[in-house]
Amino acid sequence: DTAVSQTPKYLVTQMGNDKSIKCEQNLGHDTMYWYKQDSKKFLKIMFSYNNKELIINETVPNRFSPKSPDKAHLNLHINSLELGDSAVYFCASSPWGGDSSYEQYFGPGTRLTVT
Amino acid sequence: AQSVTQLGSHVSVSEGALVLLRCNYSSSVPPYLFWYVQYPNQGLQLLLKYTSAATLVKGINGFEAEFKKSETSFHLTKPSAHMSDAAEYFCAVSDQGDSWGKLQFGAGTQVVVTP
């Protein structure tokens, strides 16, 4: 059983298109995250949701919009894709609150390539 | 804002030799500190964490790290490298009392293990 899954694994698209990445976790966690890893492997948090409520919203272009239909799912929609959006996007989940919130479980990543 | 610096973006060790990965944090107040590992084409996995309890922290796969306040360091070690330790290692930091799970990652250190 996959704990944190993401679809698709690879996404190749052209500039200007709109695309979505989906994430699901079956760990029963309350909190989910989106991270972006660039070509130099630098990892930066983008968003975090706790039980469908947005709790972390970093400085990210408003072309990126997360949506959490329930606490087990967190999707990322990207409008008007740009070349600089090419990266690996990771979803993660953790229990809510206290030290356990740092024990984050990561999905396998979605490699987005914008041409 | 908290930050961490990982010295050495690339480390090569012989199988059976000591693995030492360096991480320094920038804060006058000791933060929470973590080491995560990323195997090729996978998401990140928590190796170990320091949350103001014991300064010597043991993690999975034989790794350990020591928190040294005087040196603002949290270096990761393993006495004897295995081929399976080849991966990217990330040091991460968060403010104590920030229970939202917000992590700031270092730039990563790639470990290559040679026979």
Side-chain angles (χ1 to χ4, degrees):
Chain A
D1 284 345
T2 303
V4 182
S5 59
Q6 294 179 230
T7 54
K9 190 169 175 60
Y10 300 96
L11 186 52
V12 181
T13 189
Q14 293 183 326
M15 285 175 57
N17 285 349
D18 302 339
K19 290 294 178 185
S20 291
I21 306 171
K22 295 181 186 292
C23 178
E24 176 180 2
Q25 55 96 3
N26 62 8
L27 296 168
H29 291 159
D30 292 313
T31 310
M32 296 183 73
Y33 310 80
W34 277 115
Y35 286 88
K36 178 180 180 181
Q37 187 175 48
D38 64 22
S39 59
K40 296 185 178 178
K41 300 230 170 160
F42 184 69
L43 197 69
K44 185 169 171 55
I45 190 166
M46 301 173 70
F47 303 104
S48 174
Y49 271 77
N50 177 62
N51 200 13
K52 302 193 294 179
E53 180 184 349
L54 182 65
I55 56 171
I56 296 176
N57 186 1
E58 292 294 284
T59 307
V60 174
N62 57 15
R63 299 181 295 103
F64 290 80
S65 53
K67 279 198 174 63
S68 181
D70 56 61
K71 72 175 191 177
H73 296 85
L74 180 62
N75 303 323
L76 183 65
H77 187 76
I78 315 170
N79 290 326
S80 304
L81 278 154
E82 300 177 358
L83 292 176
D85 298 331
S86 295
V88 181
Y89 292 84
F90 286 101
C91 176
S93 73
S94 74
W96 166 246
D99 296 349
S100 297
S101 62
Y102 303 108
E103 296 183 24
Q104 297 180 15
Y105 292 76
F106 282 73
T110 295
R111 183 175 294 276
L112 171 65
T113 303
V114 183
T115 62
Chain B
Q2 296 280 7
S3 66
V4 289
T5 302
Q6 292 184 239
L7 294 176
S9 60
H10 189 103
V11 168
S12 182
V13 297
S14 300
E15 193 175 15
L18 172 72
V19 179
L20 170 61
L21 305 182
R22 299 177 188 276
C23 173
N24 289 87
Y25 64 90
S26 64
S27 172
S28 57
V29 177
Y32 289 172
L33 292 155
F34 311 85
W35 278 98
Y36 277 80
V37 60
Q38 184 179 25
Y39 297 105
N41 299 313
Q42 294 186 29
L44 279 71
Q45 180 182 5
L46 180 66
L47 270 180
L48 48 80
K49 64 180 182 182
Y50 167 78
T51 54
S52 72
T55 56
L56 183 61
V57 181
K58 293 187 184 300
I60 61 171
N61 301 338
F63 284 93
E64 64 181 37
E66 186 171 9
F67 172 74
K68 291 187 177 180
K69 183 178 176 181
S70 61
E71 299 177 7
T72 62
S73 69
F74 190 57
H75 301 332
L76 181 71
T77 60
K78 181 173 181 178
S80 176
H82 293 165
M83 298 298 290
S84 60
D85 294 326
E88 189 89 20
Y89 292 79
F90 294 92
C91 183
V93 65
S94 184
D95 288 325
Q96 283 198 37
D98 173 359
S99 60
W100 292 1
K102 184 176 176 181
L103 296 170
Q104 301 285 353
F105 285 87
T109 298
Q110 184 176 12
V111 171
V112 174
V113 182
T114 57

